[in-house]
């Protein structure tokens, strides 16, 4: 096998690796080499992951990645094709992208390890880090080949005002003014969202998706361990919670809208059965769908790949 093998993800069998490597050996550096790159970022300072073109003051994570790649002296400009777009303020524990690098004909392709180190050396923003790189076939596509994406949403209860949240947790969770959540009711409500449905009721305007049908494989709510950034005298009031959602792909702001509705259930503003009615309404403008969970509590946790091309 070759390709991504991050902790918790299966190895990726690539039937075409042998032929790809053979062709590279015959003409090292004469054709572009394609890489899959995993990277992480704190989204607070960015207008999302996608590059912002033109003279706007806003900037995306992709801008910094491509700026770092310019220092690699590729014959052709390097463009990152992002697997999963995230909005302004959203973080990523692990996002992914593919890129092509064509070196001069007298130079061999970068090894994945050298590419990772070089990109990190040239990155000019401390909130971005390249985790790992892999050689992949030239037909590989980081967005289309993903078989699973998992998002994590972090909540905090017992915080009467946002300024009472420890500074190390600000912009990393949604601080609710409630003292507790009815987690059992949230878990019951989440069951209505599992499976294949038309998720139009949880889609924000501006979605480029051609179909609102998605398959939600997992939706969980669980208490988090005590945050290491909370002082002991504060930990008696503050409680942190994690919500996770897994699907092959999501609609625009679908996770944040589902989070907001499930939090409403946890706070007693909605009954679990009403979530099924909201889903079946297919109406994104309904009374209970108007709220979207804040971006700063959301993390893209993982993007997984399996069989690229035919299996051996």
């Amino acid at each position: 096998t070759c390709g991504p093998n991050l902790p918790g993800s299966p190895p990726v069998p690539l039937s075409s690796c042998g032929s790809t490597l053979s062709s590279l050996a015959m003409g090292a550096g004469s054709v572009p080499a394609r890489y899959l790159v995993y990277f992480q970022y704190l989204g607070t300072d960015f207008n999302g992951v996608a590059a912002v073109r033109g003279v706007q003051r806003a900037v995306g994570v992709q801008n910094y990645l491509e700026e770092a790649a310019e220092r690699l002296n590729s014959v052709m400009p390097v463009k990152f094709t992002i697997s999963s777009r995230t909005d302004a303020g959203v973080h990523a524990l692990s996002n992914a992208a593919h890129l092509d690098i064509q070196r001069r004909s007298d130079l061999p392709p970068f090894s994945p390890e050298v590419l990772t180190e070089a990109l990190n050396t040239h990155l000019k923003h401390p909130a971005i880090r390249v985790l790992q790189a892999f050689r992949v076939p030239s037909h590989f596509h980081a967005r289309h080949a993903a078989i699973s994406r998992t998002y994590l949403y972090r909540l905090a209860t017992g915080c009467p005002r946002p300024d009472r949240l420890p500074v190390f947790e600000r912009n990393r969770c949604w601080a609710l003014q409630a003292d507790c959540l009815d987690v059992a009711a949230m878990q019951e409500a989440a069951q209505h969202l599992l499976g294949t449905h038309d998720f139009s009721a949880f889609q924000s305007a501006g979605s480029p998706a051609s179909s609102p049908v998605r398959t939600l494989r997992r939706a969980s709510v669980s208490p988090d361990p005590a945050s290491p950034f909370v002082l002991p005298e504060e930990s008696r009031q503050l409680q942190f919670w994690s919500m996770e959602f897994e699907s092959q792909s999501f609609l625009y702001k679908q996770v944040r809208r589902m989070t907001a509705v499930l939090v409403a259930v946890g706070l007693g503003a909605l009954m679990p059965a009403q979530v099924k009615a909201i889903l079946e309404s297919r109406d994104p403008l309904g009374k209970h769908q108007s709220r979207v969970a804040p971006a700063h509590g959301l993390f893209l946790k993982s993007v997984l790949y399996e069989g690229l091309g035919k299996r051996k």
Side-chain angles (χ1 to χ4, degrees):
T1 63
C2 62
N5 192 17
L6 291 179
S9 65
V12 179
L14 302 177
S15 61
S16 54
C17 281
S19 59
T20 301
L21 293 177
S22 298
S23 64
L24 287 168
M26 293 172 58
S30 60
V31 296
R34 181 159 292 191
Y35 299 86
L36 171 66
V37 172
Y38 286 93
F39 57 99
Q40 64 182 192
Y41 48 91
L42 281 171
T44 306
D45 294 342
F46 306 112
N47 193 55
V49 68
V52 179
R53 310 297 183 186
V55 297
Q56 297 97 325
R57 294 176 61 88
V59 66
V61 174
Q62 185 179 354
N63 291 100
Y64 283 96
L65 291 169
E66 292 180 351
E67 184 180 277
E70 287 178 7
R71 306 291 297 275
L72 304 179
N73 297 319
S74 174
V75 172
M76 301 295 291
V78 178
K79 183 180 186 304
F80 281 67
T81 299
I82 307 294
S83 163
S84 306
R85 294 190 63 163
T86 56
D87 294 330
V90 176
H91 318 293
L93 298 174
S94 181
N95 203 339
H98 77 253
L99 62 149
D100 294 328
I101 300 176
Q102 184 175 358
R103 305 189 76 193
R104 298 197 319 265
S105 59
D106 58 327
L107 297 174
F110 290 115
S111 71
E113 295 77 17
V114 168
L115 176 61
T116 300
E117 183 176 353
L119 288 173
N120 281 327
T121 298
H122 297 305
L123 273 168
K124 293 184 177 179
H125 201 294
I128 309 170
R129 182 169 74 101
V130 175
L131 300 169
Q132 209 166 2
F134 300 91
R135 281 295 306 275
V136 290
S138 60
H139 62 266
F140 173 86
H141 196 286
R143 182 165 59 89
H144 299 153
I147 62 167
S148 172
R149 293 172 173 87
T150 298
Y151 281 89
L152 162 71
Y153 199 98
R154 297 185 67 237
L155 304 165
T157 54
C159 189
R161 299 195 312 270
D163 62 358
R164 297 286 294 275
L165 196 67
V167 295
F168 302 103
E169 287 288 359
R170 293 178 190 174
N171 294 320
R172 291 164 178 80
C173 66
W174 180 11
L176 303 170
Q177 295 183 349
D179 292 328
C180 62
L181 290 169
D182 187 341
V183 174
M186 295 172 72
Q187 292 171 335
E188 180 184 345
Q191 295 302 305
H192 296 301
L193 302 176
L194 294 177
T196 302
H197 306 284
D198 181 328
F199 280 96
S200 293
F202 296 95
Q203 176 178 249
S204 287
S207 175
S210 58
S211 169
V213 176
R214 293 292 185 273
T215 300
L216 187 64
R217 299 170 182 164
R218 182 164 57 91
S220 64
V221 186
S222 59
D224 266 353
S227 170
F229 306 118
V230 178
L231 296 175
E233 57 268 29
E234 295 180 302
S235 63
R236 288 187 294 273
Q237 288 81 36
L238 285 174
Q239 170 68 60
F240 292 87
W241 310 84
S242 286
M243 303 176 67
E244 290 197 10
F245 302 91
E246 181 188 358
S247 177
Q248 183 175 8
S249 62
F250 292 90
L251 300 171
Y252 181 47
K253 295 187 180 179
Q254 179 185 344
V255 173
R256 289 166 60 191
R257 282 176 169 263
M258 292 190 300
T259 296
V261 166
L262 292 179
V263 166
V265 171
L267 297 176
L270 285 174
M271 298 297 292
Q274 290 179 270
V275 174
K276 181 180 180 182
I278 290 171
L279 176 68
E280 293 176 346
S281 75
R282 303 181 182 180
D283 178 11
L285 302 178
K287 180 174 71 171
H288 302 295
Q289 294 91 284
S290 60
R291 189 167 190 187
V292 179
H296 57 251
L298 183 61
F299 295 75
L300 174 59
K301 184 178 180 180
S302 65
V303 183
L304 299 183
Y305 299 92
E306 204 175 7
L308 306 181
K310 296 181 180 178
R311 291 181 180 272
K312 291 183 180 178

